[in-house]
DNA sequence: GCACAGGTAGATT
DNA sequence: AATCTACCTGTG
């Protein structure tokens, strides 16, 4: 199979080495896990990546461009493999973008070789991007962490929280400050002082039972009304999201845009990150800036930019968007 | 104190 | 159909 898991510890252990079929390292790894396409991965102080998606909770340690040491706190290797979308050749996909005739795109590709679009459960993508409206990534992560800690189901029993890693003494402790830790100064909702449990994001069924006030308490602000509205809508329509994910792109997008709080941009994010539709081309303020400043499309409106993107970048426009976004964020962090 | 943040929806021109 | 504006709230 694409990606094999070789156990490196005892029978009960959850630690494995993930052999990637396609290289994922350096800036591409960081940008894939923490570049605004998902909001539950974070870089720990020891250099490991800790994250949750669906039923997966994992700590990843890069060993080589094609090897990740993966400690699974919850979920299966197959789940992790699917989340990382290692069955697709992301270098080949990037090479299929029009970088030979687009110098700026070529620059972005060279800066983040191997950048991926992760596969997230569509319901989680919808929830996260409903929270994203006019918020910075740090704050979206905060909201999502609170939603999981207060309203999500525990993913692993408390005793399961210390991974056994037998090739080093006592390493693995850091796996425990995982995920539901929401930073200093945030008293409520957490497990006081003790080892944090790993929680999944609440399902939409679970969210239907959460009051708008409780959602606001998770720092959602006006987005709480949108989340509550979507929860009410979906509660009466089991399978609606999954059916939507299976529809052709245009039809799926039309359905999503009908949800409260979901416009063109969020619908495209849900389809790109939650339904594997690489043709979806979300147009946000960053992309608007990129197109104005680097493609000379000053004054174009979002709908025009979206059309340009689909035509210019083609069926993998969403991947191009992620590269452009990554480059622009890096430029913003390090001017000059 | 004030603008701004990976937007959306409803009102106004 | 293009252009405002309110909507929440943490951060600089």
């Amino acid at each position: 199979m694409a990606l094999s898991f070789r156990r490196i510890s005892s029978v009960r252990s959850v630690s494995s080495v993930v052999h990637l079929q396609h290289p994922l390292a350096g800036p591409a790894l960081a940008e894939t896990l923490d570049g605004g396409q998902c909001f539950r991965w974070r870089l720990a102080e020891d250099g490991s990546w800790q994250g949750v998606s669906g039923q997966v909770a994992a700590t990843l340690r890069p060993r080589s461009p094609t090897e990740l040491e993966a400690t699974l706190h919850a979920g299966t290797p197959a789940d992790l493999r699917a989340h990382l979308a290692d069955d697709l050749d992301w270098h080949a996909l990037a090479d299929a973008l029009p970088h030979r005739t687009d110098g700026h795109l070529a620059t972005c590709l060279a800066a983040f070789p191997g950048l991926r679009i992760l596969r997230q459960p569509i319901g989680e993508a919808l929830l996260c991007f409903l929270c994203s409206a006019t918020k910075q990534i740090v704050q979206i992560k905060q909201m999502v962490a609170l939603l999981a800690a207060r309203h999500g189901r525990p993913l692993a029993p408390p005793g399961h929280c210390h991974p056994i890693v037998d090739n080093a003494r006592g390493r693995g402790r850091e796996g425990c400050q995982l995920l539901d830790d929401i930073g200093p100064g945030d008293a409520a909702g957490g497990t006081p002082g003790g080892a944090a449990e790993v929680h999944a994001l609440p399902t939409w069924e679970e969210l239907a039972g959460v009051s708008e006030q409780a959602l606001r308490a998770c720092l959602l602000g006006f987005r709480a009304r949108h989340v509550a509205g979507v929860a009410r809508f979906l509660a009466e329509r089991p399978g609606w999201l999954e059916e939507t994910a299976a529809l052709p792109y245009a039809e799926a997008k039309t359905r999503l845009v009908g949800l409260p709080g979901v416009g063109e941009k969020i619908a495209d994010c849900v389809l790109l990150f939650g339904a594997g539709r690489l043709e979806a081309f979300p147009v946000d303020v960053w992309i608007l800036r990129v197109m104005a400043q680097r493609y000379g499309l000053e004054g174009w409106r979002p709908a025009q930019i979206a059309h340009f993107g689909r035509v210019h970048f083609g069926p993998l426009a969403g991947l191009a968007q992620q590269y452009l976004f990554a480059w622009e964020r890096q430029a913003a962090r390090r001017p000059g």
Side-chain angles (χ1 to χ4, degrees), chain A residues 165-171:
Chain A
V165 181
D166 67 3
N167 63 346
R169 52 277 121 89
R171 198 174 47 190

Side-chain angles (χ1 to χ4, degrees), chain A residues 59-319:
Chain A
T59 298
L60 302 180
R61 293 182 176 81
R63 292 302 184 219
S64 80
T66 53
E67 285 184 321
L68 296 174
E69 181 185 324
T71 302
L72 283 164
H73 313 288
T76 67
D79 295 332
L80 177 61
R81 185 173 60 209
H83 179 53
L84 296 177
D86 194 57
D87 54 305
L88 295 179
D89 183 342
W90 291 95
H91 290 81
L93 292 175
D95 193 48
L97 291 170
H99 61 93
R100 290 168 186 82
T101 54
D102 181 336
H104 180 61
L105 180 61
T107 301
C108 299
L109 262 52
F112 301 94
L115 182 69
R116 301 182 181 199
I117 304 291
L118 298 172
R119 291 207 187 91
Q120 304 173 51
I122 188 168
E124 296 194 354
L126 177 56
L127 176 59
C128 291
F129 284 94
L130 274 170
C131 291
S132 75
T134 62
K135 278 294 175 189
Q136 295 176 347
I137 291 174
V138 179
Q139 304 192 13
I140 301 165
K141 291 173 90 166
Q142 176 86 342
M143 297 181 208
V144 165
L146 284 168
L147 285 169
R150 296 180 181 177
H151 304 292
R153 222 183 108 249
L155 272 178
H160 204 256
C161 147
H162 290 277
I164 301 161
V165 181
D166 67 3
N167 63 346
R169 52 277 121 89
R171 198 174 47 190
R173 180 205 305 270
E174 54 278 348
C176 259
Q177 17 169 272
L178 252 208
L179 313 174
D180 287 338
D181 104 348
I182 47 185
D186 220 309
T191 43
E197 247 181 339
V198 183
H199 289 240
L201 280 176
T203 65
W204 283 103
E205 188 179 8
E206 287 163 345
L207 285 166
V210 178
S211 71
E212 184 177 325
Q213 186 182 14
L215 293 172
R216 282 177 185 267
C218 294
L219 311 182
L220 266 64
F222 64 81
R223 302 154 199 82
R225 186 161 45 86
H226 299 154
V227 171
V230 169
R232 277 194 301 273
F233 179 92
L234 293 180
E236 298 178 1
R237 297 165 181 81
W240 189 93
L241 261 186
E242 291 68 25
E243 290 166 19
T244 302
L247 290 172
Y249 168 75
E251 295 174 42
K253 187 168 174 182
T254 300
R255 278 174 64 144
L256 288 172
V257 166
L259 295 173
V262 178
E264 300 266 327
K265 190 269 179 183
I266 291 181
D268 273 327
C269 285
V270 171
L271 288 171
L272 177 58
F273 304 125
R277 299 304 177 81
L278 298 183
E279 71 264 47
F281 187 75
V283 176
D284 54 34
V285 292
W286 289 82
I287 292 301
L288 233 37
R289 269 199 297 267
V290 173
M291 290 303 171
Q293 293 170 11
R294 307 199 188 270
Y295 288 77
L297 306 185
E298 195 76 47
W300 286 39
R301 344 197 72 250
Q304 298 175 297
I305 294 294
H307 181 251
F308 174 89
R310 284 191 294 271
V311 172
H312 177 69
F313 297 114
L316 301 174
L319 181 59

Side-chain angles (χ1 to χ4, degrees), chain A residues 4-8 15-19 63 67-70:
Chain A
S4 66
F5 289 78
R6 180 173 56 85
R7 302 212 109 157
I8 59 172
S15 201
S16 323
V17 170
V18 181
H19 294 273
R63 292 302 184 219
E67 285 184 321
L68 296 174
E69 181 185 324

